PDB file of all heavy atoms in Angstrom:
ATOM      1  N   ILE B 669     -30.371 -29.318  42.094  1.00  0.00           N
ATOM      2  CA  ILE B 669     -28.893 -29.548  41.708  1.00  0.00           C
ATOM      3  C   ILE B 669     -28.302 -28.190  41.101  1.00  0.00           C
ATOM      4  O   ILE B 669     -27.211 -27.868  41.392  1.00  0.00           O
ATOM      5  CB  ILE B 669     -28.841 -30.674  40.651  1.00  0.00           C
ATOM      6  CG1 ILE B 669     -27.402 -31.228  40.597  1.00  0.00           C
ATOM      7  CG2 ILE B 669     -29.209 -30.258  39.259  1.00  0.00           C
ATOM      8  CD1 ILE B 669     -27.364 -32.476  39.797  1.00  0.00           C
ATOM      9  N   THR B 670     -29.177 -27.396  40.386  1.00  0.00           N
ATOM     10  CA  THR B 670     -28.628 -26.188  39.826  1.00  0.00           C
ATOM     11  C   THR B 670     -28.312 -25.213  40.961  1.00  0.00           C
ATOM     12  O   THR B 670     -27.403 -24.396  40.814  1.00  0.00           O
ATOM     13  CB  THR B 670     -29.598 -25.506  38.871  1.00  0.00           C
ATOM     14  OG1 THR B 670     -30.852 -25.423  39.475  1.00  0.00           O
ATOM     15  CG2 THR B 670     -29.839 -26.266  37.614  1.00  0.00           C
ATOM     16  N   LYS B 671     -29.015 -25.347  42.086  1.00  0.00           N
ATOM     17  CA  LYS B 671     -28.675 -24.487  43.233  1.00  0.00           C
ATOM     18  C   LYS B 671     -27.489 -25.076  44.094  1.00  0.00           C
ATOM     19  O   LYS B 671     -26.586 -24.263  44.322  1.00  0.00           O
ATOM     20  CB  LYS B 671     -30.014 -24.416  44.080  1.00  0.00           C
ATOM     21  CG  LYS B 671     -29.795 -23.439  45.202  1.00  0.00           C
ATOM     22  CD  LYS B 671     -31.212 -23.027  45.830  1.00  0.00           C
ATOM     23  CE  LYS B 671     -30.959 -22.060  46.948  1.00  0.00           C
ATOM     24  NZ  LYS B 671     -31.597 -22.381  48.155  1.00  0.00           N
ATOM     25  N   GLU B 672     -27.604 -26.288  44.421  1.00  0.00           N
ATOM     26  CA  GLU B 672     -26.593 -26.886  45.327  1.00  0.00           C
ATOM     27  C   GLU B 672     -25.282 -27.017  44.775  1.00  0.00           C
ATOM     28  O   GLU B 672     -24.231 -26.937  45.400  1.00  0.00           O
ATOM     29  CB  GLU B 672     -27.085 -28.297  45.880  1.00  0.00           C
ATOM     30  CG  GLU B 672     -28.396 -28.209  46.682  1.00  0.00           C
ATOM     31  CD  GLU B 672     -28.156 -27.598  47.994  1.00  0.00           C
ATOM     32  OE1 GLU B 672     -27.169 -27.936  48.647  1.00  0.00           O
ATOM     33  OE2 GLU B 672     -29.051 -26.744  48.415  1.00  0.00           O
ATOM     34  N   ALA B 673     -25.223 -27.353  43.431  1.00  0.00           N
ATOM     35  CA  ALA B 673     -23.943 -27.437  42.734  1.00  0.00           C
ATOM     36  C   ALA B 673     -23.356 -25.950  42.339  1.00  0.00           C
ATOM     37  O   ALA B 673     -22.328 -25.924  41.724  1.00  0.00           O
ATOM     38  CB  ALA B 673     -23.934 -28.305  41.556  1.00  0.00           C
ATOM     39  N   GLU B 674     -24.124 -24.951  42.701  1.00  0.00           N
ATOM     40  CA  GLU B 674     -23.753 -23.627  42.362  1.00  0.00           C
ATOM     41  C   GLU B 674     -23.490 -23.406  40.846  1.00  0.00           C
ATOM     42  O   GLU B 674     -22.477 -22.958  40.470  1.00  0.00           O
ATOM     43  CB  GLU B 674     -22.515 -23.173  43.196  1.00  0.00           C
ATOM     44  CG  GLU B 674     -22.785 -23.163  44.763  1.00  0.00           C
ATOM     45  CD  GLU B 674     -21.588 -22.744  45.506  1.00  0.00           C
ATOM     46  OE1 GLU B 674     -20.500 -23.474  45.437  1.00  0.00           O
ATOM     47  OE2 GLU B 674     -21.596 -21.678  46.152  1.00  0.00           O
ATOM     48  N   LEU B 675     -24.534 -23.793  40.104  1.00  0.00           N
ATOM     49  CA  LEU B 675     -24.471 -23.600  38.648  1.00  0.00           C
ATOM     50  C   LEU B 675     -24.971 -22.350  38.203  1.00  0.00           C
ATOM     51  O   LEU B 675     -24.495 -21.733  37.183  1.00  0.00           O
ATOM     52  CB  LEU B 675     -25.241 -24.808  37.994  1.00  0.00           C
ATOM     53  CG  LEU B 675     -24.829 -26.213  38.455  1.00  0.00           C
ATOM     54  CD1 LEU B 675     -25.634 -27.268  37.738  1.00  0.00           C
ATOM     55  CD2 LEU B 675     -23.353 -26.400  38.226  1.00  0.00           C
ATOM     56  N   CYS B 676     -25.972 -21.849  38.863  1.00  0.00           N
ATOM     57  CA  CYS B 676     -26.539 -20.517  38.530  1.00  0.00           C
ATOM     58  C   CYS B 676     -27.209 -19.854  39.699  1.00  0.00           C
ATOM     59  O   CYS B 676     -27.399 -20.472  40.747  1.00  0.00           O
ATOM     60  CB  CYS B 676     -27.520 -20.684  37.379  1.00  0.00           C
ATOM     61  SG  CYS B 676     -28.892 -21.760  37.807  1.00  0.00           S
ATOM     62  N   ASP B 677     -27.577 -18.637  39.572  1.00  0.00           N
ATOM     63  CA  ASP B 677     -28.235 -17.928  40.569  1.00  0.00           C
ATOM     64  C   ASP B 677     -29.404 -17.199  39.921  1.00  0.00           C
ATOM     65  O   ASP B 677     -29.286 -16.424  38.943  1.00  0.00           O
ATOM     66  CB  ASP B 677     -27.337 -16.842  41.291  1.00  0.00           C
ATOM     67  CG  ASP B 677     -27.850 -16.404  42.622  1.00  0.00           C
ATOM     68  OD1 ASP B 677     -29.048 -16.168  42.636  1.00  0.00           O
ATOM     69  OD2 ASP B 677     -27.103 -16.248  43.576  1.00  0.00           O
ATOM     70  N   LEU B 678     -30.667 -17.519  40.482  1.00  0.00           N
ATOM     71  CA  LEU B 678     -31.890 -17.050  39.885  1.00  0.00           C
ATOM     72  C   LEU B 678     -32.247 -15.741  40.398  1.00  0.00           C
ATOM     73  O   LEU B 678     -33.354 -15.145  40.088  1.00  0.00           O
ATOM     74  CB  LEU B 678     -32.980 -18.017  40.036  1.00  0.00           C
ATOM     75  CG  LEU B 678     -32.718 -19.485  39.656  1.00  0.00           C
ATOM     76  CD1 LEU B 678     -33.926 -20.330  39.770  1.00  0.00           C
ATOM     77  CD2 LEU B 678     -32.205 -19.526  38.186  1.00  0.00           C
ATOM     78  N   ARG B 679     -31.467 -15.114  41.396  1.00  0.00           N
ATOM     79  CA  ARG B 679     -31.979 -13.943  42.132  1.00  0.00           C
ATOM     80  C   ARG B 679     -31.625 -12.568  41.440  1.00  0.00           C
ATOM     81  O   ARG B 679     -31.785 -11.505  41.989  1.00  0.00           O
ATOM     82  CB  ARG B 679     -31.376 -13.955  43.481  1.00  0.00           C
ATOM     83  CG  ARG B 679     -31.946 -15.125  44.334  1.00  0.00           C
ATOM     84  CD  ARG B 679     -31.282 -15.188  45.685  1.00  0.00           C
ATOM     85  NE  ARG B 679     -29.912 -15.725  45.528  1.00  0.00           N
ATOM     86  CZ  ARG B 679     -29.023 -15.876  46.513  1.00  0.00           C
ATOM     87  NH1 ARG B 679     -29.363 -15.533  47.780  1.00  0.00           N
ATOM     88  NH2 ARG B 679     -27.820 -16.304  46.272  1.00  0.00           N
ATOM     89  N   TYR B 680     -31.149 -12.656  40.150  1.00  0.00           N
ATOM     90  CA  TYR B 680     -30.934 -11.422  39.466  1.00  0.00           C
ATOM     91  C   TYR B 680     -32.192 -10.614  39.221  1.00  0.00           C
ATOM     92  O   TYR B 680     -33.240 -11.219  38.914  1.00  0.00           O
ATOM     93  CB  TYR B 680     -30.149 -11.721  38.132  1.00  0.00           C
ATOM     94  CG  TYR B 680     -29.602 -10.443  37.463  1.00  0.00           C
ATOM     95  CD1 TYR B 680     -28.603  -9.724  38.009  1.00  0.00           C
ATOM     96  CD2 TYR B 680     -30.211 -10.015  36.327  1.00  0.00           C
ATOM     97  CE1 TYR B 680     -28.159  -8.576  37.393  1.00  0.00           C
ATOM     98  CE2 TYR B 680     -29.840  -8.730  35.757  1.00  0.00           C
ATOM     99  CZ  TYR B 680     -28.686  -8.068  36.245  1.00  0.00           C
ATOM    100  OH  TYR B 680     -28.239  -6.951  35.735  1.00  0.00           O
ATOM    101  N   HIS B 681     -32.112  -9.322  39.211  1.00  0.00           N
ATOM    102  CA  HIS B 681     -33.311  -8.591  39.290  1.00  0.00           C
ATOM    103  C   HIS B 681     -33.933  -8.188  37.931  1.00  0.00           C
ATOM    104  O   HIS B 681     -34.626  -7.212  37.824  1.00  0.00           O
ATOM    105  CB  HIS B 681     -33.163  -7.249  40.170  1.00  0.00           C
ATOM    106  CG  HIS B 681     -33.130  -7.583  41.579  1.00  0.00           C
ATOM    107  ND1 HIS B 681     -34.220  -7.292  42.399  1.00  0.00           N
ATOM    108  CD2 HIS B 681     -32.207  -8.123  42.444  1.00  0.00           C
ATOM    109  CE1 HIS B 681     -33.987  -7.689  43.614  1.00  0.00           C
ATOM    110  NE2 HIS B 681     -32.770  -8.133  43.631  1.00  0.00           N
TER     111      HIS B 681
END
Side-chain angles (χ1 to χ4, degrees):
Chain B
I669 205 172
T670 53
K671 187 165 178 228
E672 297 292 314
E674 298 181 293
L675 305 180
C676 60
D677 195 318
L678 310 184
R679 293 173 290 175
Y680 189 71
H681 283 258

